Amino acid sequence: MNKKILYLTIAMFFMSILANTAHPVTPELVVNLNMSSLMYGIMFAAMSVASFAMSPIWGSLSDRFQSRKLFLCLPSIGYALAQIGFGFSTSPILIIIFRIIGGAFGCSVFTVSVAYIVDETTTKERGEAISVYTAITRFGISLGYLLGGYIGAQDYHYAFILQSSGLLLHAVLVYFFLPESNMDTRNPKEKNKPFTLKFNINLKEYITTSLGILLTLVFLTSFSYVAYNTGINYFLKKYLSLNPLQIGYYMAFMGIIGIIANIYTTPRISRKYGEKKSLKYVLLITGLTLILLSTFDDLLSVKSIVVLVIFLFFLSMYRPLLQTLISKASKSDHGKIMGLQNSANSVGMVGGSLFAGVLLDVFPIMLFVAAGVVFILSYLIILISDKRI
């Protein structure tokens, strides 16, 4: 890992902590304001729709202006302001508006950061770099849950105050201390073309290609992951009566498993079997173990914990493998392609969050079964499309 990627990974580690400090207290906000689980899903969907629309635009802007750093720090300011508004709103309309603003700005950071890694790596180095980056940032997500749960245990507003202040400070530090990436500037004519904000990306260009199949997998896996993740947070709060700090402990446990999987296992199986074959079986095992977990009555039994650890281990591995395959399929305009990936991810987030919101108050177990089935469907798509990817 070169120094620039090391600095980026450190920056995104702290960004991951900050971006997730509000998550363990969001169920608290929903319950305190006497909102239904459907509202919980709508809030997440609103953020995801904005992310879908803006991700390719931020990625294309970073390509055009040949600056990843600029689009890593400036949108953090908008994200910070949106989060403080979200945390202190009591009106459903205002909450949704601030969720839209937060999604529109926050997606830039996570889109451009992967483009930064693509700029700085060869195709041979990329898989390991993305695996380490994913492991560290996923651990940051878990610490963010833990920190947010601890800070917001008495009053959930404190978590939002910490998050917004930290995001503003983070933007300043990134601007002054993160080096610019080594972007490919072999096509200077692109920089002189007038830039237009196009929401209607020409998807026909990608649908029939290997990249189109990979983006479909991003959508499906995002749907399943978000359905599970949204569901487990609300499930732990409403049905098991866990407080934000206890939810934070669960997420920290998930992060520790993820960092072990992605630093030790993912690069090794990727080198030995290749990203495509590894991803195929990772998705199959993830889906099967999630369905199996859904059949257990006692979630604290030995067999439940063993299956849970296996599920979390494989769940953490699919994303770096999929991102590496997409980065290798993108020949140029890395920011744009990573933006399309984030858009596909956002569409899955919309569907997964709304699906979770509908089922959580009615039939919560079926939510996790369905998420497992979609992971298995993703495995079948790779199996059928093997020669095209």
Side-chain angles (χ1 to χ4, degrees):
M1 184 181 290
N2 66 37
K3 284 187 177 180
K4 288 184 180 180
I5 295 180
L6 177 61
Y7 293 152
L8 173 76
T9 303
I10 292 170
M12 289 305 296
F13 169 69
F14 287 106
M15 169 56 76
S16 298
I17 292 174
L18 293 167
N20 290 277
T21 52
H23 287 327
V25 300
T26 301
E28 197 79 18
L29 181 151
V30 172
V31 171
N32 281 0
L33 296 178
N34 296 315
M35 298 177 180
S36 68
S37 66
L38 180 59
M39 182 60 186
Y40 189 61
I42 290 172
M43 289 191 309
F44 201 86
M47 178 191 72
S48 303
V49 168
S51 178
F52 162 74
M54 291 301 299
S55 290
I57 293 174
W58 290 123
S60 296
L61 283 170
S62 72
D63 284 337
R64 172 175 168 74
F65 290 101
Q66 297 179 0
S67 174
R68 306 295 187 207
K69 183 170 77 169
L70 182 65
F71 295 96
L72 283 169
C73 62
L74 286 184
S76 292
I77 299 172
Y79 185 33
L81 297 176
Q83 285 302 99
I84 198 70
F86 167 47
F88 281 83
S89 294
T90 55
S91 160
I93 297 298
L94 281 177
I95 285 174
I96 292 171
I97 289 172
F98 282 119
R99 287 276 73 194
I100 292 171
I101 296 171
F105 282 102
C107 66
S108 176
V109 180
F110 298 99
T111 295
V112 175
S113 61
V114 180
Y116 188 110
I117 293 175
V118 176
D119 293 340
E120 289 293 325
T121 55
T122 64
T123 53
K124 187 176 180 180
E125 303 167 331
R126 198 166 298 154
E128 189 164 354
I130 290 177
S131 292
V132 173
Y133 165 84
T134 302
I136 298 299
T137 52
R138 285 282 162 190
F139 188 58
I141 290 172
S142 302
L143 291 180
Y145 269 85
L146 190 59
L147 180 62
Y150 180 77
I151 297 295
Q154 292 185 339
D155 187 336
Y156 68 83
H157 294 99
Y158 295 156
F160 287 99
I161 294 170
L162 172 68
Q163 182 185 44
S164 298
S165 303
L167 286 169
L168 292 173
L169 177 61
H170 187 270
V172 173
L173 293 176
V174 165
Y175 182 79
F176 285 107
F177 294 106
L178 181 69
E180 188 58 81
S181 70
N182 182 30
M183 294 185 65
D184 186 353
T185 57
R186 287 175 295 179
N187 192 9
K189 291 182 180 179
E190 289 295 318
K191 190 174 181 181
N192 297 323
K193 288 183 180 179
F195 183 82
T196 55
L197 296 179
K198 291 185 178 180
F199 288 86
N200 55 330
I201 300 294
N202 185 14
L203 294 178
K204 291 181 181 179
E205 182 182 348
Y206 303 106
I207 285 173
T208 58
T209 66
S210 61
L211 186 59
I213 296 170
L214 292 171
L215 291 175
T216 301
L217 291 174
V218 171
F219 161 72
L220 291 173
T221 54
S222 172
F223 177 95
S224 287
Y225 180 84
V226 170
Y228 157 76
N229 208 44
T230 304
I232 199 65
N233 279 308
Y234 193 80
F235 186 86
L236 293 174
K237 170 64 184 175
K238 183 166 184 178
Y239 295 100
L240 299 184
S241 300
L242 300 188
N243 62 39
L245 182 56
Q246 290 170 320
I247 294 174
Y249 284 138
Y250 171 80
M251 297 307 297
F253 173 67
M254 180 177 172
I256 291 169
I257 293 174
I259 201 169
I260 294 170
N262 281 319
I263 287 182
Y264 181 78
T265 307
T266 307
R268 284 168 173 76
I269 66 167
S270 179
R271 283 196 297 267
K272 186 171 182 178
Y273 301 107
E275 287 89 5
K276 181 174 66 176
K277 189 174 182 180
S278 301
L279 176 63
K280 182 167 60 176
Y281 292 109
V282 162
L283 291 173
L284 177 61
I285 295 170
T286 301
L288 290 175
T289 50
L290 181 54
I291 292 171
L292 185 59
L293 269 175
S294 305
T295 66
F296 296 150
D297 293 325
D298 184 3
L299 295 177
L300 297 178
S301 67
V302 173
K303 66 177 181 179
S304 296
I305 293 172
V306 169
V307 174
L308 176 65
V309 170
I310 295 171
F311 163 69
L312 294 176
F313 191 86
F314 282 90
L315 178 69
S316 65
M317 293 170 62
Y318 85 82
R319 185 164 294 183
L321 292 168
L322 188 51
Q323 283 183 328
T324 302
L325 283 170
I326 291 171
S327 70
K328 288 181 177 180
S330 66
K331 307 301 181 184
S332 60
D333 295 331
H334 300 313
K336 177 183 177 182
I337 298 304
M338 292 305 111
L340 285 172
Q341 176 199 249
N342 213 42
S343 284
N345 184 63
S346 298
V347 175
M349 289 166 66
V350 172
S353 58
L354 288 175
F355 187 66
V358 169
L359 281 185
L360 275 170
D361 281 337
V362 182
F363 199 171
I365 301 303
M366 183 53 65
L367 168 65
F368 301 111
V369 173
V373 169
V374 176
F375 273 123
I376 295 173
L377 175 61
S378 301
Y379 156 77
L380 293 174
I381 288 174
I382 300 178
L383 196 66
I384 295 168
S385 311
D386 190 45
K387 292 182 180 179
R388 296 176 59 193
I389 299 178

